[in-house]
Amino acid sequence: MGLFEDVVVNAKSAANVVGKKAGQLVDISKLKISAADVNREISRRLEALGRTVYDADKAGYDAKELIRESISCIDELYEQLDVINEELAQARNQINCPVCGHANSIESCYCNRCGSKLTKDPEPEKPVAPEAPVSPEEPTCTDEPEQPKDE
């Protein structure tokens, strides 16, 4: 019975390892999908920004405020993408270069692309002040930028 028990224990151990790897692959796939969604939203917003600038210029309308709002929303999306890419690198046991963004092995001390020193310890988070509630009049980043009205 000793040999049979050893086989069962080894089989359970192998199944656990395979299960963990499958879970990691699922997590990586979810992160890739999230990154693709954010990239798609960034592209859509950049296109809308270009359309706003074009329409405003054609109509002789000053769209500086709309442009600033659009840029702010796009910057927030880029920040979300950076967070997703960092989580993706951690899931893959990689570290991204803070200078060029290249993914390097977690054991690397210097970037394989640009040679910059890689920091393995994350920077301590700074306390963030709570955000003020958004009033209904203020546009949010989920809103489409307003198109200038032809006068």
Side-chain angles (χ1 to χ4, degrees), residues 1-12:
M1 284 295 260
L3 180 62
F4 181 72
E5 290 173 356
D6 288 343
V7 170
V8 171
V9 168
N10 287 337
K12 285 182 181 179

Side-chain angles (χ1 to χ4, degrees), residues 5 34 36 45 72 86 94 115 136:
E5 290 173 356
S34 294
R45 293 220 178 242
S72 174
E86 186 63 35
Q94 294 177 331

Side-chain angles (χ1 to χ4, degrees), residues 6-123:
D6 288 343
V7 170
V8 171
V9 168
N10 287 337
K12 285 182 181 179
S13 174
N16 286 337
V17 170
V18 169
K20 286 180 184 178
K21 284 291 185 185
Q24 288 174 343
L25 289 175
V26 168
D27 291 343
I28 289 172
S29 295
K30 287 179 182 178
L31 289 170
K32 284 182 177 180
I33 290 170
S34 294
D37 289 343
V38 172
N39 272 321
R40 210 172 2 265
E41 181 65 15
I42 289 171
S43 295
R44 190 181 69 75
R45 293 220 178 242
L46 287 171
E47 182 181 338
L49 174 61
R51 196 175 320 112
T52 300
V53 171
Y54 176 81
D55 291 343
D57 190 57
K58 284 294 246 186
Y61 174 76
D62 183 19
K64 287 182 182 177
E65 186 61 33
L66 289 174
I67 292 170
R68 268 189 239 116
E69 290 172 11
S70 294
I71 289 173
S72 174
C73 291
I74 292 168
D75 287 345
E76 288 177 18
L77 288 169
Y78 275 122
E79 289 173 7
Q80 288 177 9
L81 185 61
D82 289 342
V83 168
I84 292 170
N85 285 334
E86 186 63 35
E87 290 175 9
L88 191 56
Q90 288 175 353
R92 292 178 172 164
N93 289 326
Q94 294 177 331
I95 186 169
N96 290 331
C97 175
V99 176
C100 70
H102 180 69
N104 295 279
S105 170
I106 198 80
E107 293 89 21
S108 299
C109 292
Y110 296 93
C111 178
N112 292 332
R113 180 181 290 159
C114 71
S116 298
K117 184 158 179 67
L118 300 174
T119 57
K120 296 192 176 36
D121 298 326
E123 295 178 14

